[in-house]
mmCIF file of all heavy atoms in Angstrom:
data_model
loop_
_atom_site.group_PDB
_atom_site.id
_atom_site.type_symbol
_atom_site.label_atom_id
_atom_site.label_comp_id
_atom_site.label_asym_id
_atom_site.label_seq_id
_atom_site.Cartn_x
_atom_site.Cartn_y
_atom_site.Cartn_z
ATOM 1 N N VAL A 160 93.065 160.970 155.921
ATOM 2 C CA VAL A 160 92.957 162.178 155.097
ATOM 3 C C VAL A 160 92.430 163.291 155.974
ATOM 4 O O VAL A 160 91.288 163.213 156.456
ATOM 5 C CB VAL A 160 92.031 161.951 153.882
ATOM 6 C CG1 VAL A 160 91.964 163.209 153.032
ATOM 7 C CG2 VAL A 160 92.497 160.762 153.058
ATOM 8 N N ALA A 161 93.266 164.278 156.257
ATOM 9 C CA ALA A 161 92.901 165.376 157.155
ATOM 10 C C ALA A 161 92.624 166.640 156.340
ATOM 11 O O ALA A 161 93.475 167.081 155.576
ATOM 12 C CB ALA A 161 93.988 165.630 158.179
ATOM 13 N N ASP A 162 91.433 167.191 156.498
ATOM 14 C CA ASP A 162 91.045 168.457 155.878
ATOM 15 C C ASP A 162 91.235 169.534 156.931
ATOM 16 O O ASP A 162 90.478 169.609 157.895
ATOM 17 C CB ASP A 162 89.594 168.381 155.404
ATOM 18 C CG ASP A 162 89.162 169.620 154.634
ATOM 19 O OD1 ASP A 162 89.939 170.600 154.592
ATOM 20 O OD2 ASP A 162 88.043 169.605 154.089
ATOM 21 N N ASP A 163 92.256 170.365 156.766
ATOM 22 C CA ASP A 163 92.636 171.338 157.780
ATOM 23 C C ASP A 163 92.334 172.767 157.345
ATOM 24 O O ASP A 163 92.817 173.214 156.292
ATOM 25 C CB ASP A 163 94.135 171.241 158.091
ATOM 26 C CG ASP A 163 94.489 169.971 158.838
ATOM 27 O OD1 ASP A 163 93.568 169.371 159.434
ATOM 28 O OD2 ASP A 163 95.669 169.587 158.838
ATOM 29 N N GLU A 164 91.534 173.460 158.148
ATOM 30 C CA GLU A 164 91.336 174.898 157.976
ATOM 31 C C GLU A 164 92.189 175.585 159.035
ATOM 32 O O GLU A 164 91.892 175.517 160.230
ATOM 33 C CB GLU A 164 89.863 175.264 158.138
ATOM 34 C CG GLU A 164 88.972 174.651 157.059
ATOM 35 C CD GLU A 164 87.513 175.064 157.205
ATOM 36 O OE1 GLU A 164 87.238 175.958 158.053
ATOM 37 O OE2 GLU A 164 86.666 174.484 156.512
ATOM 38 N N VAL A 165 93.267 176.223 158.588
ATOM 39 C CA VAL A 165 94.297 176.739 159.488
ATOM 40 C C VAL A 165 94.188 178.249 159.605
ATOM 41 O O VAL A 165 94.041 178.959 158.611
ATOM 42 C CB VAL A 165 95.710 176.367 158.971
ATOM 43 C CG1 VAL A 165 96.785 176.812 159.961
ATOM 44 C CG2 VAL A 165 95.797 174.867 158.711
ATOM 45 N N ARG A 166 94.279 178.730 160.850
ATOM 46 C CA ARG A 166 94.311 180.163 161.117
ATOM 47 C C ARG A 166 95.579 180.472 161.908
ATOM 48 O O ARG A 166 95.847 179.850 162.943
ATOM 49 C CB ARG A 166 93.077 180.622 161.899
ATOM 50 C CG ARG A 166 91.765 180.366 161.146
ATOM 51 C CD ARG A 166 91.683 181.198 159.882
ATOM 52 N NE ARG A 166 90.457 180.958 159.120
ATOM 53 C CZ ARG A 166 90.375 180.159 158.079
ATOM 54 N NH1 ARG A 166 91.463 179.503 157.674
ATOM 55 N NH2 ARG A 166 89.239 180.005 157.438
ATOM 56 N N VAL A 167 96.341 181.414 161.393
ATOM 57 C CA VAL A 167 97.568 181.850 162.051
ATOM 58 C C VAL A 167 97.210 182.971 163.010
ATOM 59 O O VAL A 167 96.612 183.982 162.606
ATOM 60 C CB VAL A 167 98.596 182.351 161.016
ATOM 61 C CG1 VAL A 167 99.878 182.776 161.720
ATOM 62 C CG2 VAL A 167 98.875 181.265 159.984
ATOM 63 N N LEU A 168 97.560 182.790 164.282
ATOM 64 C CA LEU A 168 97.153 183.739 165.316
ATOM 65 C C LEU A 168 98.268 184.726 165.644
ATOM 66 O O LEU A 168 99.459 184.377 165.666
ATOM 67 C CB LEU A 168 96.748 182.992 166.587
ATOM 68 C CG LEU A 168 95.640 181.937 166.441
ATOM 69 C CD1 LEU A 168 95.301 181.342 167.790
ATOM 70 C CD2 LEU A 168 94.396 182.534 165.780
ATOM 71 N N ASP A 169 97.859 185.947 165.883
ATOM 72 C CA ASP A 169 98.731 187.001 166.399
ATOM 73 C C ASP A 169 98.110 187.460 167.698
ATOM 74 O O ASP A 169 97.203 188.291 167.693
ATOM 75 C CB ASP A 169 98.856 188.140 165.397
ATOM 76 C CG ASP A 169 99.817 189.224 165.866
ATOM 77 O OD1 ASP A 169 100.424 189.041 166.931
ATOM 78 O OD2 ASP A 169 99.943 190.248 165.168
ATOM 79 N N GLY A 170 98.598 186.899 168.805
ATOM 80 C CA GLY A 170 97.921 187.120 170.070
ATOM 81 C C GLY A 170 96.593 186.380 170.032
ATOM 82 O O GLY A 170 96.533 185.176 169.761
ATOM 83 N N ARG A 171 95.495 187.090 170.238
ATOM 84 C CA ARG A 171 94.181 186.458 170.167
ATOM 85 C C ARG A 171 93.503 186.685 168.842
ATOM 86 O O ARG A 171 92.408 186.185 168.584
ATOM 87 C CB ARG A 171 93.293 187.014 171.289
ATOM 88 C CG ARG A 171 93.785 186.653 172.695
ATOM 89 C CD ARG A 171 92.803 187.113 173.738
ATOM 90 N NE ARG A 171 93.201 186.717 175.091
ATOM 91 C CZ ARG A 171 92.498 186.949 176.173
ATOM 92 N NH1 ARG A 171 91.330 187.605 176.074
ATOM 93 N NH2 ARG A 171 92.936 186.565 177.360
ATOM 94 N N LYS A 172 94.156 187.433 167.968
ATOM 95 C CA LYS A 172 93.551 187.764 166.676
ATOM 96 C C LYS A 172 94.048 186.829 165.587
ATOM 97 O O LYS A 172 95.173 186.326 165.641
ATOM 98 C CB LYS A 172 93.882 189.204 166.298
ATOM 99 C CG LYS A 172 93.319 190.249 167.264
ATOM 100 C CD LYS A 172 93.679 191.646 166.800
ATOM 101 C CE LYS A 172 93.116 192.707 167.754
ATOM 102 N NZ LYS A 172 93.478 194.079 167.298
ATOM 103 N N VAL A 173 93.194 186.638 164.585
ATOM 104 C CA VAL A 173 93.580 185.864 163.427
ATOM 105 C C VAL A 173 94.295 186.785 162.446
ATOM 106 O O VAL A 173 93.723 187.776 161.975
ATOM 107 C CB VAL A 173 92.345 185.222 162.755
ATOM 108 C CG1 VAL A 173 92.753 184.528 161.453
ATOM 109 C CG2 VAL A 173 91.672 184.234 163.701
ATOM 110 N N ALA A 174 95.557 186.451 162.133
ATOM 111 C CA ALA A 174 96.327 187.269 161.214
ATOM 112 C C ALA A 174 96.007 186.913 159.761
ATOM 113 O O ALA A 174 95.798 187.777 158.924
ATOM 114 C CB ALA A 174 97.820 187.110 161.472
ATOM 115 N N TRP A 175 95.956 185.636 159.470
ATOM 116 C CA TRP A 175 95.614 185.151 158.145
ATOM 117 C C TRP A 175 95.415 183.647 158.214
ATOM 118 O O TRP A 175 95.599 183.062 159.289
ATOM 119 C CB TRP A 175 96.693 185.505 157.108
ATOM 120 C CG TRP A 175 98.055 184.894 157.355
ATOM 121 C CD1 TRP A 175 98.938 185.234 158.325
ATOM 122 C CD2 TRP A 175 98.644 183.806 156.630
ATOM 123 N NE1 TRP A 175 100.060 184.446 158.251
ATOM 124 C CE2 TRP A 175 99.907 183.578 157.209
ATOM 125 C CE3 TRP A 175 98.257 183.045 155.543
ATOM 126 C CZ2 TRP A 175 100.760 182.586 156.743
ATOM 127 C CZ3 TRP A 175 99.123 182.056 155.066
ATOM 128 C CH2 TRP A 175 100.364 181.835 155.676
ATOM 129 N N GLY A 176 95.009 183.038 157.105
ATOM 130 C CA GLY A 176 94.747 181.611 157.171
ATOM 131 C C GLY A 176 94.898 180.938 155.821
ATOM 132 O O GLY A 176 95.099 181.580 154.782
ATOM 133 N N PHE A 177 94.807 179.640 155.828
ATOM 134 C CA PHE A 177 94.868 178.843 154.602
ATOM 135 C C PHE A 177 94.220 177.499 154.874
ATOM 136 O O PHE A 177 93.917 177.148 156.027
ATOM 137 C CB PHE A 177 96.314 178.648 154.131
ATOM 138 C CG PHE A 177 97.233 178.031 155.140
ATOM 139 C CD1 PHE A 177 97.402 176.652 155.211
ATOM 140 C CD2 PHE A 177 97.946 178.830 156.045
ATOM 141 C CE1 PHE A 177 98.264 176.080 156.119
ATOM 142 C CE2 PHE A 177 98.799 178.256 156.976
ATOM 143 C CZ PHE A 177 98.968 176.883 157.019
ATOM 144 N N ARG A 178 93.973 176.755 153.811
ATOM 145 C CA ARG A 178 93.391 175.420 153.929
ATOM 146 C C ARG A 178 94.247 174.431 153.179
ATOM 147 O O ARG A 178 94.745 174.751 152.086
ATOM 148 C CB ARG A 178 91.956 175.428 153.345
ATOM 149 C CG ARG A 178 91.187 174.120 153.537
ATOM 150 C CD ARG A 178 89.811 174.219 152.926
ATOM 151 N NE ARG A 178 89.097 172.954 152.961
ATOM 152 C CZ ARG A 178 87.987 172.707 152.285
ATOM 153 N NH1 ARG A 178 87.471 173.671 151.503
ATOM 154 N NH2 ARG A 178 87.398 171.542 152.365
ATOM 155 N N GLU A 179 94.437 173.262 153.726
ATOM 156 C CA GLU A 179 95.202 172.233 153.049
ATOM 157 C C GLU A 179 94.683 170.860 153.410
ATOM 158 O O GLU A 179 94.035 170.682 154.456
ATOM 159 C CB GLU A 179 96.689 172.353 153.380
ATOM 160 C CG GLU A 179 97.062 171.988 154.796
ATOM 161 C CD GLU A 179 98.576 172.058 155.048
ATOM 162 O OE1 GLU A 179 99.275 172.759 154.308
ATOM 163 O OE2 GLU A 179 99.029 171.403 156.008
ATOM 164 N N ILE A 180 94.971 169.914 152.529
ATOM 165 C CA ILE A 180 94.635 168.508 152.761
ATOM 166 C C ILE A 180 95.939 167.771 153.046
ATOM 167 O O ILE A 180 96.916 167.898 152.320
ATOM 168 C CB ILE A 180 93.943 167.869 151.551
ATOM 169 C CG1 ILE A 180 92.724 168.698 151.130
ATOM 170 C CG2 ILE A 180 93.548 166.442 151.866
ATOM 171 C CD1 ILE A 180 91.629 168.759 152.152
ATOM 172 N N GLU A 181 95.933 166.994 154.115
ATOM 173 C CA GLU A 181 97.117 166.223 154.512
ATOM 174 C C GLU A 181 96.760 164.752 154.530
ATOM 175 O O GLU A 181 95.801 164.351 155.210
ATOM 176 C CB GLU A 181 97.581 166.681 155.889
ATOM 177 C CG GLU A 181 98.848 166.061 156.396
ATOM 178 C CD GLU A 181 99.231 166.625 157.759
ATOM 179 O OE1 GLU A 181 99.680 167.784 157.840
ATOM 180 O OE2 GLU A 181 99.050 165.895 158.753
ATOM 181 N N VAL A 182 97.458 163.943 153.735
ATOM 182 C CA VAL A 182 97.196 162.509 153.677
ATOM 183 C C VAL A 182 98.382 161.769 154.281
ATOM 184 O O VAL A 182 99.524 161.916 153.809
ATOM 185 C CB VAL A 182 96.983 162.052 152.210
ATOM 186 C CG1 VAL A 182 96.630 160.557 152.171
ATOM 187 C CG2 VAL A 182 95.874 162.868 151.551
ATOM 188 N N GLU A 183 98.123 160.977 155.292
ATOM 189 C CA GLU A 183 99.196 160.245 155.972
ATOM 190 C C GLU A 183 98.956 158.749 155.874
ATOM 191 O O GLU A 183 97.837 158.258 156.146
ATOM 192 C CB GLU A 183 99.261 160.650 157.453
ATOM 193 C CG GLU A 183 100.367 159.944 158.216
ATOM 194 C CD GLU A 183 100.494 160.429 159.651
ATOM 195 O OE1 GLU A 183 99.850 161.436 160.011
ATOM 196 O OE2 GLU A 183 101.230 159.779 160.419
ATOM 197 N N ARG A 184 99.986 158.028 155.454
ATOM 198 C CA ARG A 184 99.876 156.557 155.393
ATOM 199 C C ARG A 184 99.988 156.000 156.806
ATOM 200 O O ARG A 184 100.894 156.357 157.567
ATOM 201 C CB ARG A 184 100.987 155.999 154.494
ATOM 202 C CG ARG A 184 100.895 154.488 154.310
ATOM 203 C CD ARG A 184 101.708 154.049 153.099
ATOM 204 N NE ARG A 184 103.135 154.171 153.331
ATOM 205 C CZ ARG A 184 103.915 153.180 153.772
ATOM 206 N NH1 ARG A 184 103.370 151.999 154.048
ATOM 207 N NH2 ARG A 184 105.211 153.359 153.929
ATOM 208 N N VAL A 185 99.062 155.095 157.153
ATOM 209 C CA VAL A 185 99.048 154.502 158.490
ATOM 210 C C VAL A 185 99.572 153.076 158.443
ATOM 211 O O VAL A 185 100.603 152.749 159.027
ATOM 212 C CB VAL A 185 97.636 154.554 159.098
ATOM 213 C CG1 VAL A 185 97.620 153.900 160.478
ATOM 214 C CG2 VAL A 185 97.152 155.997 159.189
ATOM 215 N N SER A 186 98.856 152.205 157.717
ATOM 216 C CA SER A 186 99.301 150.808 157.644
ATOM 217 C C SER A 186 99.211 150.241 156.240
ATOM 218 O O SER A 186 99.629 149.110 156.011
ATOM 219 C CB SER A 186 98.462 149.929 158.587
ATOM 220 O OG SER A 186 97.092 149.966 158.211
#
Side-chain angles (χ1 to χ4, degrees):
V160 181
D162 185 352
D163 289 341
E164 296 182 9
V165 184
R166 298 295 178 262
V167 181
L168 304 183
D169 183 3
R171 295 186 177 183
K172 297 181 180 180
V173 174
W175 63 288
F177 56 91
R178 185 181 175 193
E179 70 177 22
I180 307 296
E181 184 178 287
V182 183
E183 181 176 350
R184 184 163 70 94
V185 178
S186 62

